[in-house]
Amino acid sequence: MKFKGPLFYSKILLFGEYGIIKDSKGLSIPYNFYNGALKIEKELTPEHKESNGHLQRFANYLKENTSDLIVFDVAAFQEDISKGLFFDSSIPQGYGVGSSGALVAAIYDKYASEKITVLENLTREKLLKLKGIFSFMESFFHGSSSGLDPLNSYLSLPILIHSKDNVETAGIPSQEQHQEQGAVFLIDSGIVGETAPMVNLFMQKLKHEGFRNVMKEQFVKHTDACVEDFLKGNVSSLFTNIKSLSKTVLENFSQMIPTEFHQLWEKGIDTNDYYLKLCGSGGGGYILGFTQDLDKAQKALKDYPLEVVYKF
């Protein structure tokens, strides 16, 4: 038996990493460059066998842990696993682009009873219910999860986060095709990041009043302003706020930035050729960059191939 499910895409949280834990705004967009799908095949490669084993553990988790929000056909899931089910994915793991989110979305799509579909009228209640379901499911991978990555992957729409209990799908300005100079891009740090240790580090830092003040008075303030500017297409104001955000992150989240990128981060702030920020929880994976002049940024970052995500 062969089976191939629908594709689910990676995502990029443009703004809001860590801030959404403290009720800042956030903006997450699908990133169609990477994707994954559930497949069943008789002969599995070693990599696919490993995925099959992960799915077995996930199925056990869903069997042993229940949520009032959702019922799964775990028996069908386990039967498919025994037939050679695996998640065939090009999404790099530990890079902050939602590898577990796409997997969760695919499992929900295939095995959830009475699932909410993308074609329905997605009311705020339905979005929050989906977010809650995905949070419960993705906790298997990270210990705790906001549920936003799978939500983004499942809907394949930009998601605007107002606060923990207020999310909506959003329209983002269409990408400029003429004289496009500005861009959002990714840099590969070459290091795999792990979400749980970084989130734990952040939670430890929150115990200090000074850090809590920085979060409230700088980080959340700049993040909210960036989200507003991005959605309204206020490019010059956006870059002023991104610069402030980049500076705040360098000064207060330096442990989440791989050491070899500290100088590069500072150089961007000093020259204004580009600004860097965390992509996901940091600690490795991708670093997110913003520039008003892509040529300049590419020259300044010539040792790093840039993956362009969005153009202004």
Side-chain angles (χ1 to χ4, degrees):
M1 169 192 176
K2 278 202 170 191
F3 158 81
K4 185 177 187 302
L7 286 176
F8 290 93
Y9 295 103
S10 53
K11 63 82 219 182
I12 288 173
L13 185 62
L14 284 182
F15 303 106
E17 71 297 329
Y18 292 113
I20 50 179
I21 297 174
K22 297 304 293 171
D23 266 0
S24 80
K25 289 190 175 180
L27 182 63
S28 183
I29 61 169
Y31 183 40
N32 296 357
F33 188 71
Y34 297 117
N35 57 57
L38 288 170
K39 284 186 181 177
I40 294 176
E41 281 179 10
K42 265 205 179 89
E43 301 294 316
L44 297 184
T45 66
E47 197 183 341
H48 295 157
K49 267 188 188 145
E50 194 184 334
S51 170
N52 180 267
H54 280 315
L55 292 180
Q56 182 60 67
R57 288 188 287 280
F58 191 28
N60 293 342
Y61 169 82
L62 294 177
K63 193 176 183 177
E64 290 158 16
N65 300 273
T66 54
S67 161
D68 299 341
L69 295 171
I70 184 72
V71 174
F72 287 98
D73 190 345
V74 179
F77 186 16
Q78 288 180 317
E79 193 184 328
D80 285 347
I81 290 165
S82 70
K83 290 174 186 165
L85 183 75
F86 63 97
F87 190 58
D88 189 22
S89 169
S90 65
I91 307 169
Q93 292 185 355
Y95 265 67
V97 286
S99 56
S100 58
L103 169 57
V104 163
I107 300 292
Y108 174 81
D109 182 63
K110 180 97 174 88
Y111 301 104
S113 306
E114 298 178 15
K115 66 179 184 187
I116 296 166
T117 72
V118 185
L119 302 171
E120 290 174 39
N121 173 23
L122 290 167
T123 60
R124 187 177 147 196
E125 282 69 31
K126 283 181 187 170
L127 283 173
L128 282 174
K129 186 178 177 185
L130 271 175
K131 183 176 174 286
I133 291 165
F134 291 146
S135 168
F136 156 69
M137 291 174 73
E138 203 181 31
S139 295
F140 168 73
F141 298 95
H142 300 313
S144 70
S145 158
S146 67
L148 285 165
D149 286 6
L151 185 64
N152 203 293
S153 193
Y154 184 63
L155 300 176
S156 221
L157 292 166
I159 305 285
L160 172 61
I161 303 114
H162 292 285
S163 65
K164 274 199 274 285
D165 303 322
N166 188 356
V167 293
E168 62 177 322
T169 56
I172 59 173
S174 60
Q175 301 191 43
E176 299 293 332
Q177 293 312 326
H178 54 88
Q179 60 187 46
E180 49 208 28
Q181 290 290 312
V184 183
F185 58 85
L186 295 172
I187 296 177
D188 185 347
S189 72
I191 304 160
V192 174
E194 284 195 46
T195 302
M198 291 294 121
V199 173
N200 290 341
L201 178 63
F202 175 74
M203 292 315 214
Q204 287 302 315
K205 286 165 91 69
L206 277 181
K207 290 177 180 170
H208 303 284
E209 193 186 348
F211 185 75
R212 288 199 302 273
N213 289 339
V214 165
M215 281 301 293
K216 196 165 87 183
E217 288 156 24
Q218 295 177 41
F219 191 90
V220 170
K221 188 179 120 193
H222 299 324
T223 297
D224 287 359
C226 285
V227 171
E228 291 285 323
D229 286 339
F230 188 90
L231 290 174
K232 288 178 180 157
N234 297 339
V235 176
S236 61
S237 170
L238 171 66
F239 277 88
T240 304
N241 285 311
I242 289 174
K243 181 175 184 174
S244 303
L245 184 58
S246 182
K247 217 170 172 177
T248 301
V249 172
L250 183 61
E251 286 165 6
N252 300 279
F253 290 76
S254 58
Q255 292 146 293
M256 282 88 161
I257 303 167
T259 318
E260 52 272 45
F261 284 89
H262 287 194
Q263 223 177 335
L264 212 60
W265 202 287
E266 201 158 352
K267 188 181 153 198
I269 295 165
D270 292 344
T271 61
N272 298 315
D273 288 347
Y274 58 87
Y275 304 123
L276 302 181
K277 67 182 289 297
L278 296 174
C279 180
S281 55
Y286 283 119
I287 290 167
L288 204 49
F290 291 77
T291 180
Q292 282 184 285
D293 189 328
L294 187 55
D295 287 346
K296 253 189 194 166
Q298 281 170 324
K299 282 189 186 110
L301 298 163
K302 62 182 185 308
D303 298 334
Y304 303 89
L306 308 186
E307 272 181 45
V308 175
V309 173
Y310 181 91
K311 288 186 170 175
F312 295 102

